Amino acid sequence: MCDIHSRVAWICGEGAVDEPEHVSRALPSRYVLLGAPGVGKGTQAKLLSESLGACHLSTGDVFRAAATSPTPTAAVAAAQAAMQRGDLVTDEIVIDTMVERCRCLRCGAGFLLDGFPRSLSQAKWLDERLDQLGIPLDGVISYELPIEEIVSRLSGRRTCADCKSVYHVDSRPPARADVCDDCGGQLVQRSDDRPEVVRIRMDAYRQTTEPLKQHYQQQGLLVTVAATGSPEEIRDRTLQALGVGPRLEVCDHCDPCAQAS
Ligand code: AMP
């Protein structure tokens, strides 16, 4: 699984050289995760990453981290403004961001793409890129949940400002109010989880991202999973739907991510 250096390579694009070099491992897992905002994609990506050993690559995390820069570039400022409105970041900025991080697609452990692609143009870019690299996707997991449940999840969601662990005030409360069980960091409500912003995000999902289900269905890659129940139940349902067991036979002594550098 991703070590700290590889996480830096993803979040910062640091040293993410784009060379046509690919080192394969016996059992890399390569999936795209789709789902409306609040469906629990990020939580599932984290759990699946632990089960499968593949790297969790979230474009939302990249943009949130970039937004904290004291000297944001014009692209970062534009991305931040779009996120605050609940809009999607433009395809141009997102694809530039991915180009800088292509190395992570070649990770020997595989990847779980969380939040990318979110539009047909992004999906076509990914299809072409993976084709050039000779890396097939194993599947595209679409998490499905009724809208009322999504709204309830988003309004109660709290995220650790430090380690990004996700909680819910009712269904997954932390042991101490507003304090992360994992790292002691402060739990905050994401600014884009405010109700007025959630509505815009849902519209963007319906109009721009949901059509990707058809795109991947035509490629025979789409697997739909009900996102009801506890995070662990959803993870188990996902692994069952994919027909894979946990792939934790990753060697303790080597870092598969390092092979991609
Ligand atoms: P997430 O954490 O995946 O919910 O992403 C948070 C926000 O980041 C989204 O609401 C978008 O504004 C932006 N974002 C993340 N990934 C993408 C993407 N692939 N395309 C467009 N916008 C994105």
Coordinates of all heavy atoms in Angstrom, one line a residue, residues 142-229:
S142 N -19.9 1.5 -8.8 CA -20.8 2.6 -8.6 C -21.7 2.4 -7.4 O -22.4 1.4 -7.3 CB -21.8 2.8 -9.8 OG -22.7 3.8 -9.6
Y143 N -21.5 3.3 -6.4 CA -22.2 3.1 -5.1 C -23.6 3.8 -5.3 O -23.6 5.0 -5.7 CB -21.4 3.7 -4.0 CG -20.3 2.8 -3.6 CD1 -19.0 3.2 -3.9 CD2 -20.5 1.6 -2.9 CE1 -17.9 2.3 -3.6 CE2 -19.5 0.8 -2.6 CZ -18.2 1.1 -3.0 OH -17.1 0.3 -2.7
E144 N -24.7 3.1 -4.9 CA -26.0 3.6 -5.1 C -26.7 3.8 -3.7 O -26.6 2.9 -2.9 CB -26.8 2.7 -5.9 CG -26.2 2.2 -7.2 CD -26.2 3.3 -8.3 OE1 -27.1 4.1 -8.3 OE2 -25.3 3.3 -9.2
L145 N -27.4 5.0 -3.6 CA -28.1 5.2 -2.3 C -29.3 6.2 -2.6 O -29.1 7.1 -3.4 CB -27.1 5.9 -1.4 CG -27.5 5.9 0.1 CD1 -27.5 4.5 0.7 CD2 -26.5 6.8 0.9
P146 N -30.5 6.0 -1.9 CA -31.6 7.0 -2.1 C -31.2 8.4 -1.7 O -30.4 8.5 -0.7 CB -32.7 6.4 -1.3 CG -32.3 5.0 -1.0 CD -30.8 4.9 -1.0
I147 N -31.7 9.4 -2.3 CA -31.3 10.8 -2.1 C -31.5 11.2 -0.6 O -30.7 11.9 -0.1 CB -32.0 11.7 -3.1 CG1 -31.7 13.2 -2.9 CG2 -33.5 11.6 -3.0 CD1 -31.0 13.8 -4.1
E148 N -32.7 10.8 0.0 CA -32.9 11.2 1.4 C -31.8 10.8 2.3 O -31.3 11.5 3.2 CB -34.2 10.7 2.0 CG -35.4 10.7 1.1 CD -35.4 9.6 0.1 OE1 -35.4 8.4 0.4 OE2 -35.5 9.9 -1.2
E149 N -31.3 9.6 2.1 CA -30.2 9.1 2.9 C -28.9 9.9 2.6 O -28.1 10.1 3.6 CB -30.0 7.6 2.6 CG -28.9 7.0 3.4 CD -29.3 5.8 4.2 OE1 -30.5 5.4 4.1 OE2 -28.5 5.3 4.9
I150 N -28.7 10.3 1.4 CA -27.5 11.0 1.0 C -27.5 12.4 1.8 O -26.5 12.8 2.4 CB -27.4 11.3 -0.5 CG1 -27.2 10.0 -1.2 CG2 -26.4 12.3 -0.8 CD1 -27.1 10.1 -2.7
V151 N -28.7 13.0 1.8 CA -28.7 14.3 2.4 C -28.5 14.2 3.9 O -27.7 15.0 4.5 CB -30.1 15.0 2.2 CG1 -30.3 16.3 3.0 CG2 -30.3 15.3 0.7
S152 N -29.0 13.2 4.6 CA -28.8 12.9 6.0 C -27.3 12.6 6.3 O -26.7 13.2 7.2 CB -29.7 11.8 6.5 OG -29.0 11.0 7.4
R153 N -26.7 11.8 5.4 CA -25.3 11.5 5.6 C -24.4 12.8 5.5 O -23.5 13.0 6.3 CB -24.8 10.6 4.5 CG -25.2 9.1 4.8 CD -24.4 8.2 3.9 NE -24.9 6.9 4.1 CZ -24.4 5.8 3.5 NH1 -23.3 6.0 2.7 NH2 -24.9 4.7 3.6
L154 N -24.7 13.6 4.5 CA -23.8 14.8 4.3 C -24.0 15.8 5.4 O -23.0 16.3 5.9 CB -24.2 15.4 3.0 CG -23.7 14.7 1.7 CD1 -24.1 15.4 0.5 CD2 -22.1 14.6 1.8
S155 N -25.2 16.0 5.9 CA -25.4 17.0 6.9 C -24.7 16.6 8.2 O -24.3 17.5 9.0 CB -26.9 17.4 7.1 OG -27.6 16.2 7.4
G156 N -24.6 15.3 8.5 CA -24.0 14.9 9.7 C -22.5 14.5 9.6 O -21.9 14.1 10.6
R157 N -22.0 14.6 8.4 CA -20.6 14.1 8.2 C -19.6 15.1 8.8 O -19.7 16.3 8.7 CB -20.4 14.0 6.7 CG -18.9 13.6 6.4 CD -18.8 13.1 5.0 NE -18.9 14.1 4.0 CZ -18.7 13.8 2.7 NH1 -18.4 12.6 2.3 NH2 -18.7 14.8 1.8
R158 N -18.6 14.5 9.5 CA -17.5 15.3 10.0 C -16.2 14.6 9.6 O -16.1 13.4 9.6 CB -17.6 15.4 11.6 CG -18.8 16.0 12.1 CD -18.9 17.5 11.8 NE -20.1 18.1 12.4 CZ -21.3 18.2 11.8 NH1 -21.4 17.7 10.5 NH2 -22.4 18.7 12.4
T159 N -15.2 15.4 9.2 CA -14.0 14.9 8.7 C -12.8 15.4 9.6 O -12.8 16.6 10.0 CB -13.8 15.4 7.3 OG1 -15.0 15.1 6.5 CG2 -12.6 14.7 6.6
C160 N -11.9 14.5 9.8 CA -10.7 15.0 10.6 C -9.9 15.9 9.8 O -9.5 15.6 8.6 CB -9.8 13.8 11.0 SG -8.3 14.3 11.9
A161 N -9.6 17.1 10.4 CA -8.8 18.1 9.6 C -7.4 17.6 9.4 O -6.7 18.0 8.4 CB -8.7 19.4 10.5
D162 N -6.9 16.6 10.2 CA -5.5 16.2 10.0 C -5.4 14.9 9.1 O -4.8 14.9 8.0 CB -4.8 15.9 11.3 CG -4.7 17.2 12.1 OD1 -4.6 18.3 11.5 OD2 -4.7 17.1 13.4
C163 N -6.1 13.8 9.6 CA -5.8 12.5 8.9 C -7.0 12.2 7.9 O -6.9 11.2 7.2 CB -5.7 11.4 9.8 SG -7.2 10.8 10.6
K164 N -8.0 13.0 7.8 CA -9.1 12.9 6.9 C -10.1 11.7 7.2 O -10.9 11.4 6.4 CB -8.6 12.8 5.4 CG -7.6 13.8 5.0 CD -8.2 15.2 5.0 CE -7.1 16.2 4.8 NZ -7.3 17.5 5.5
S165 N -9.9 11.1 8.4 CA -10.9 10.1 8.7 C -12.3 10.7 8.8 O -12.5 11.8 9.1 CB -10.6 9.5 10.1 OG -9.5 8.7 10.1
V166 N -13.3 9.9 8.4 CA -14.7 10.4 8.3 C -15.6 9.8 9.4 O -15.5 8.6 9.6 CB -15.2 10.0 6.9 CG1 -16.7 10.5 6.7 CG2 -14.3 10.6 5.8
Y167 N -16.4 10.7 10.0 CA -17.3 10.3 11.0 C -18.7 10.8 10.7 O -18.9 11.5 9.7 CB -16.9 10.9 12.4 CG -15.5 10.5 12.9 CD1 -14.4 11.0 12.3 CD2 -15.4 9.4 13.8 CE1 -13.1 10.6 12.8 CE2 -14.2 9.0 14.2 CZ -13.0 9.6 13.7 OH -11.8 9.1 14.1
H168 N -19.7 10.3 11.5 CA -21.1 10.9 11.3 C -21.6 11.1 12.7 O -21.4 10.3 13.6 CB -21.9 9.9 10.5 CG -23.3 10.5 10.2 ND1 -24.3 10.6 11.1 CD2 -23.7 11.2 9.0 CE1 -25.3 11.2 10.5 NE2 -25.0 11.6 9.3
V169 N -22.2 12.3 12.9 CA -22.7 12.6 14.3 C -23.6 11.6 14.9 O -23.6 11.3 16.1 CB -23.3 14.0 14.3 CG1 -22.3 15.1 14.2 CG2 -24.4 14.2 13.3
D170 N -24.4 10.9 14.0 CA -25.3 9.8 14.6 C -24.8 8.4 14.4 O -24.7 7.6 15.3 CB -26.7 9.9 13.8 CG -27.3 11.3 14.1 OD1 -27.2 11.8 15.2 OD2 -27.9 11.8 13.2
S171 N -24.4 8.1 13.1 CA -24.1 6.7 12.8 C -22.7 6.3 13.1 O -22.4 5.1 13.2 CB -24.5 6.4 11.4 OG -23.8 7.2 10.5
R172 N -21.8 7.2 13.2 CA -20.4 6.9 13.5 C -19.7 8.0 14.3 O -18.8 8.6 13.8 CB -19.6 6.6 12.1 CG -18.3 6.0 12.3 CD -17.6 5.5 11.1 NE -16.3 4.9 11.4 CZ -15.2 5.5 11.3 NH1 -15.1 6.7 10.7 NH2 -14.1 4.8 11.6
P173 N -20.3 8.2 15.5 CA -19.7 9.3 16.3 C -18.3 9.0 16.8 O -18.0 7.8 17.1 CB -20.7 9.4 17.4 CG -21.4 8.1 17.5 CD -21.3 7.4 16.2
P174 N -17.5 10.0 17.0 CA -16.2 9.7 17.6 C -16.4 9.5 19.1 O -17.4 9.9 19.7 CB -15.4 11.0 17.3 CG -16.5 12.1 17.3 CD -17.7 11.4 16.7
A175 N -15.4 8.9 19.8 CA -15.5 8.6 21.2 C -15.6 9.9 22.0 O -16.4 10.1 22.9 CB -14.3 7.8 21.7
R176 N -14.8 11.0 21.6 CA -15.0 12.3 22.2 C -15.5 13.3 21.1 O -14.9 13.3 20.0 CB -13.6 12.8 22.7 CG -13.2 12.1 24.0 CD -11.7 12.4 24.3 NE -11.4 13.9 24.4 CZ -10.2 14.3 24.1 NH1 -9.2 13.6 23.7 NH2 -10.0 15.6 24.1
A177 N -16.5 14.1 21.5 CA -17.1 15.0 20.5 C -16.0 15.8 19.8 O -15.1 16.4 20.4 CB -18.1 15.9 21.2
D178 N -16.1 15.8 18.5 CA -15.3 16.7 17.6 C -13.8 16.4 17.7 O -13.0 17.2 17.2 CB -15.5 18.2 18.0 CG -16.9 18.6 17.7 OD1 -17.5 18.0 16.8 OD2 -17.4 19.5 18.5
V179 N -13.4 15.2 18.2 CA -12.0 14.8 18.2 C -11.9 13.4 17.5 O -12.6 12.5 17.7 CB -11.5 14.6 19.7 CG1 -10.1 14.2 19.7 CG2 -11.7 15.9 20.4
C180 N -10.9 13.4 16.6 CA -10.7 12.2 15.8 C -10.1 11.0 16.7 O -9.2 11.2 17.4 CB -9.6 12.5 14.7 SG -9.2 11.0 13.7
D181 N -10.8 9.8 16.6 CA -10.4 8.7 17.3 C -9.0 8.2 16.9 O -8.2 7.7 17.7 CB -11.3 7.5 17.1 CG -12.7 7.7 17.7 OD1 -12.8 8.6 18.5 OD2 -13.6 7.0 17.4
D182 N -8.7 8.4 15.6 CA -7.4 7.8 15.0 C -6.2 8.7 15.4 O -5.2 8.1 15.7 CB -7.5 7.7 13.5 CG -8.6 6.7 13.1 OD1 -8.9 5.9 13.9 OD2 -9.1 6.8 11.9
C183 N -6.3 10.0 15.3 CA -5.1 10.8 15.5 C -5.3 12.0 16.5 O -4.3 12.7 16.7 CB -4.6 11.4 14.1 SG -5.6 12.7 13.5
G184 N -6.5 12.2 17.0 CA -6.7 13.3 18.0 C -6.9 14.6 17.3 O -7.0 15.6 18.0
G185 N -7.0 14.6 16.0 CA -7.2 15.9 15.2 C -8.6 16.4 15.4 O -9.5 15.7 16.0
Q186 N -8.8 17.6 15.0 CA -10.1 18.2 15.2 C -11.1 17.8 14.0 O -10.7 17.8 12.9 CB -10.0 19.8 15.2 CG -11.2 20.4 15.9 CD -11.4 21.9 15.6 OE1 -10.4 22.5 15.1 NE2 -12.5 22.4 15.9
L187 N -12.3 17.5 14.4 CA -13.3 17.1 13.4 C -14.0 18.4 12.9 O -14.5 19.2 13.7 CB -14.3 16.1 13.9 CG -13.7 14.8 14.5 CD1 -14.8 13.8 14.8 CD2 -12.7 14.2 13.5
V188 N -14.1 18.5 11.6 CA -14.8 19.7 11.0 C -15.8 19.3 10.0 O -15.8 18.2 9.4 CB -13.7 20.6 10.3 CG1 -12.8 21.2 11.4 CG2 -13.0 19.9 9.3
Q189 N -16.8 20.2 9.7 CA -17.7 20.0 8.6 C -17.1 20.6 7.4 O -16.7 21.7 7.4 CB -19.1 20.6 8.9 CG -20.1 20.3 7.8 CD -21.5 20.8 8.1 OE1 -21.7 21.8 8.7 NE2 -22.5 20.0 7.7
R190 N -17.0 19.8 6.3 CA -16.5 20.3 5.1 C -17.4 21.5 4.6 O -18.6 21.4 4.7 CB -16.4 19.3 4.0 CG -15.2 18.4 4.1 CD -15.3 17.2 3.2 NE -15.8 17.4 1.9 CZ -15.8 16.5 0.9 NH1 -15.2 15.3 1.1 NH2 -16.3 16.8 -0.3
S191 N -16.8 22.6 4.1 CA -17.6 23.7 3.7 C -18.5 23.3 2.6 O -19.6 23.8 2.4 CB -16.7 24.9 3.3 OG -15.9 24.5 2.2
D192 N -18.2 22.3 1.8 CA -19.1 21.9 0.7 C -20.1 20.9 1.1 O -20.8 20.3 0.3 CB -18.3 21.4 -0.6 CG -17.4 20.2 -0.3 OD1 -17.2 19.9 0.9 OD2 -16.8 19.7 -1.2
D193 N -20.2 20.6 2.4 CA -21.3 19.8 3.0 C -22.5 20.6 3.5 O -23.4 20.1 4.0 CB -20.8 18.9 4.1 CG -20.1 17.6 3.6 OD1 -20.1 17.4 2.4 OD2 -19.4 16.9 4.4
R194 N -22.3 22.0 3.3 CA -23.5 22.8 3.7 C -24.6 22.6 2.7 O -24.4 22.4 1.5 CB -23.0 24.3 3.7 CG -22.1 24.7 4.8 CD -21.6 26.1 4.7 NE -20.7 26.2 3.6 CZ -20.7 27.1 2.6 NH1 -21.6 28.0 2.7 NH2 -19.8 27.1 1.7
P195 N -25.9 22.6 3.3 CA -27.1 22.2 2.4 C -27.1 22.9 1.1 O -27.4 22.2 0.1 CB -28.3 22.5 3.3 CG -27.7 22.6 4.7 CD -26.3 23.0 4.6
E196 N -26.9 24.2 1.0 CA -27.1 24.9 -0.2 C -26.0 24.5 -1.3 O -26.3 24.5 -2.5 CB -27.0 26.5 0.0 CG -25.7 27.1 0.5 CD -25.5 27.0 2.0 OE1 -26.2 26.1 2.6 OE2 -24.7 27.7 2.5
V197 N -24.8 24.1 -0.8 CA -23.8 23.6 -1.7 C -24.0 22.2 -2.1 O -23.8 21.8 -3.2 CB -22.4 23.8 -1.0 CG1 -21.3 23.3 -1.9 CG2 -22.2 25.2 -0.5
V198 N -24.6 21.4 -1.2 CA -24.9 20.0 -1.5 C -25.8 19.9 -2.7 O -25.6 19.1 -3.6 CB -25.5 19.3 -0.2 CG1 -26.1 18.0 -0.6 CG2 -24.4 19.1 0.8
R199 N -26.8 20.8 -2.7 CA -27.8 20.8 -3.8 C -27.1 20.9 -5.2 O -27.3 20.2 -6.1 CB -28.8 21.9 -3.7 CG -30.1 21.4 -3.0 CD -31.2 22.4 -3.1 NE -30.9 23.6 -2.4 CZ -31.0 23.8 -1.1 NH1 -31.4 22.8 -0.3 NH2 -30.7 25.0 -0.5
I200 N -26.1 21.9 -5.2 CA -25.4 22.1 -6.5 C -24.5 20.9 -6.8 O -24.4 20.5 -8.0 CB -24.5 23.4 -6.3 CG1 -25.4 24.6 -6.0 CG2 -23.7 23.7 -7.6 CD1 -24.7 25.9 -5.7
R201 N -23.9 20.3 -5.8 CA -23.1 19.2 -6.1 C -23.9 18.0 -6.6 O -23.5 17.2 -7.5 CB -22.4 18.7 -4.8 CG -21.3 19.7 -4.3 CD -20.8 19.4 -2.9 NE -20.0 18.2 -2.9 CZ -19.8 17.5 -1.7 NH1 -20.3 17.9 -0.6 NH2 -19.1 16.4 -1.8
M202 N -25.1 17.8 -6.0 CA -26.0 16.7 -6.5 C -26.4 17.0 -8.0 O -26.4 16.0 -8.8 CB -27.3 16.7 -5.7 CG -27.0 16.2 -4.3 SD -26.3 14.5 -4.2 CE -27.6 13.6 -4.9
D203 N -26.7 18.2 -8.3 CA -27.0 18.5 -9.7 C -25.8 18.2 -10.7 O -26.0 17.6 -11.7 CB -27.4 20.0 -9.9 CG -28.8 20.3 -9.3 OD1 -29.5 19.3 -9.0 OD2 -29.1 21.4 -9.1
A204 N -24.6 18.6 -10.2 CA -23.4 18.4 -11.0 C -23.2 16.9 -11.2 O -22.9 16.4 -12.3 CB -22.2 19.0 -10.4
Y205 N -23.5 16.1 -10.1 CA -23.3 14.7 -10.3 C -24.3 14.1 -11.3 O -23.9 13.4 -12.2 CB -23.6 14.0 -8.9 CG -23.5 12.5 -9.0 CD1 -22.3 11.8 -9.2 CD2 -24.7 11.7 -9.0 CE1 -22.2 10.5 -9.3 CE2 -24.6 10.3 -9.2 CZ -23.4 9.7 -9.3 OH -23.3 8.4 -9.5
R206 N -25.6 14.5 -11.2 CA -26.6 14.0 -12.1 C -26.3 14.3 -13.5 O -26.4 13.4 -14.4 CB -28.0 14.5 -11.7 CG -28.6 13.8 -10.5 CD -30.1 13.9 -10.5 NE -30.6 13.8 -9.2 CZ -30.8 14.8 -8.4 NH1 -30.6 16.0 -8.8 NH2 -31.2 14.6 -7.2
Q207 N -25.9 15.6 -13.8 CA -25.8 16.0 -15.1 C -24.4 15.5 -15.8 O -24.4 15.1 -16.9 CB -25.8 17.5 -15.2 CG -27.2 18.1 -15.1 CD -27.2 19.6 -14.8 OE1 -26.2 20.2 -15.1 NE2 -28.3 20.1 -14.3
T208 N -23.4 15.5 -15.0 CA -22.0 15.3 -15.6 C -21.4 14.0 -15.2 O -20.8 13.4 -16.1 CB -21.1 16.5 -15.1 OG1 -21.8 17.7 -15.2 CG2 -19.8 16.5 -15.9
T209 N -21.7 13.5 -14.0 CA -21.0 12.2 -13.6 C -21.8 11.0 -13.9 O -21.3 9.9 -14.3 CB -20.5 12.3 -12.2 OG1 -19.9 13.6 -12.0 CG2 -19.6 11.2 -11.8
E210 N -23.1 11.1 -13.6 CA -23.9 9.9 -13.7 C -23.9 9.2 -15.1 O -23.8 8.0 -15.2 CB -25.4 10.2 -13.3 CG -26.0 8.9 -12.7 CD -27.3 9.3 -11.9 OE1 -27.9 10.3 -12.2 OE2 -27.6 8.5 -11.0
P211 N -23.8 10.0 -16.2 CA -23.6 9.4 -17.5 C -22.4 8.5 -17.7 O -22.4 7.7 -18.6 CB -23.5 10.6 -18.5 CG -24.2 11.8 -17.8 CD -23.9 11.5 -16.3
L212 N -21.5 8.6 -16.8 CA -20.3 7.7 -16.9 C -20.7 6.3 -16.6 O -20.0 5.4 -17.1 CB -19.2 8.1 -15.8 CG -18.6 9.5 -16.0 CD1 -17.4 9.6 -15.1 CD2 -18.1 9.6 -17.4
K213 N -21.8 6.1 -15.9 CA -22.2 4.7 -15.7 C -22.4 3.9 -17.0 O -22.0 2.8 -17.2 CB -23.4 4.7 -14.8 CG -23.2 5.1 -13.4 CD -24.2 4.6 -12.4 CE -25.5 5.4 -12.4 NZ -26.4 5.1 -11.4
Q214 N -23.1 4.7 -17.9 CA -23.4 4.1 -19.2 C -22.1 3.8 -20.0 O -21.9 2.8 -20.6 CB -24.3 5.0 -20.0 CG -25.0 4.3 -21.1 CD -25.7 5.2 -22.0 OE1 -25.9 6.4 -21.7 NE2 -26.2 4.7 -23.1
H215 N -21.2 4.8 -19.9 CA -19.9 4.7 -20.6 C -19.1 3.4 -20.1 O -18.6 2.6 -21.0 CB -19.0 5.9 -20.2 CG -17.6 5.9 -20.7 ND1 -17.3 6.2 -22.1 CD2 -16.5 5.7 -20.1 CE1 -16.0 6.1 -22.2 NE2 -15.5 5.8 -21.1
Y216 N -19.1 3.2 -18.8 CA -18.4 2.0 -18.3 C -19.2 0.7 -18.5 O -18.6 -0.4 -18.6 CB -18.0 2.2 -16.9 CG -16.8 3.2 -16.8 CD1 -17.0 4.4 -16.1 CD2 -15.6 3.0 -17.4 CE1 -15.9 5.3 -16.0 CE2 -14.5 3.9 -17.3 CZ -14.7 5.0 -16.6 OH -13.7 5.9 -16.6
Q217 N -20.5 0.9 -18.5 CA -21.4 -0.3 -18.7 C -21.1 -0.9 -20.1 O -21.0 -2.1 -20.3 CB -22.8 0.1 -18.6 CG -23.8 -1.1 -18.8 CD -24.8 -1.2 -17.8 OE1 -25.4 -0.2 -17.4 NE2 -25.1 -2.4 -17.3
Q218 N -21.0 0.0 -21.1 CA -20.7 -0.4 -22.4 C -19.3 -1.1 -22.5 O -19.1 -1.9 -23.4 CB -20.7 0.8 -23.4 CG -22.1 1.3 -23.7 CD -22.2 2.7 -24.3 OE1 -21.1 3.4 -24.4 NE2 -23.3 3.1 -24.7
Q219 N -18.4 -0.8 -21.6 CA -17.1 -1.4 -21.6 C -17.1 -2.7 -20.8 O -16.1 -3.4 -20.6 CB -16.0 -0.5 -21.1 CG -15.8 0.7 -21.9 CD -14.7 1.6 -21.3 OE1 -13.8 1.1 -20.6 NE2 -14.7 2.9 -21.7
G220 N -18.3 -3.0 -20.2 CA -18.4 -4.3 -19.4 C -17.7 -4.1 -18.1 O -17.4 -5.2 -17.4
L221 N -17.5 -2.9 -17.6 CA -16.7 -2.7 -16.4 C -17.6 -2.4 -15.1 O -17.1 -2.4 -14.0 CB -15.7 -1.6 -16.6 CG -14.5 -1.9 -17.5 CD1 -13.7 -0.7 -17.8 CD2 -13.6 -3.0 -16.8
L222 N -18.8 -2.0 -15.4 CA -19.6 -1.4 -14.3 C -20.1 -2.5 -13.3 O -20.7 -3.5 -13.7 CB -20.8 -0.6 -14.8 CG -21.6 0.2 -13.8 CD1 -20.7 1.4 -13.4 CD2 -22.9 0.7 -14.3
V223 N -19.9 -2.2 -12.0 CA -20.4 -3.0 -10.9 C -21.2 -2.1 -10.0 O -20.6 -1.2 -9.4 CB -19.2 -3.7 -10.1 CG1 -19.8 -4.5 -9.0 CG2 -18.3 -4.5 -11.1
T224 N -22.5 -2.3 -9.8 CA -23.2 -1.4 -8.9 C -23.3 -2.1 -7.5 O -23.5 -3.3 -7.4 CB -24.6 -1.1 -9.4 OG1 -25.3 -2.3 -9.7 CG2 -24.6 -0.2 -10.6
V225 N -23.2 -1.3 -6.5 CA -23.2 -1.8 -5.1 C -24.1 -0.9 -4.3 O -24.0 0.3 -4.3 CB -21.7 -1.8 -4.5 CG1 -21.8 -2.2 -3.0 CG2 -20.8 -2.7 -5.3
A226 N -25.0 -1.5 -3.5 CA -25.9 -0.7 -2.6 C -25.0 -0.2 -1.5 O -24.3 -0.9 -0.8 CB -27.0 -1.6 -2.1
A227 N -25.1 1.1 -1.3 CA -24.3 1.8 -0.2 C -25.0 1.9 1.1 O -24.9 2.9 1.8 CB -23.8 3.1 -0.7
T228 N -25.8 0.9 1.4 CA -26.6 0.9 2.7 C -25.9 0.0 3.7 O -25.2 -0.9 3.4 CB -28.0 0.4 2.5 OG1 -27.9 -0.9 1.8 CG2 -28.9 1.3 1.7
G229 N -26.1 0.4 5.0 CA -25.5 -0.4 6.1 C -24.2 0.2 6.6 O -23.9 1.4 6.2

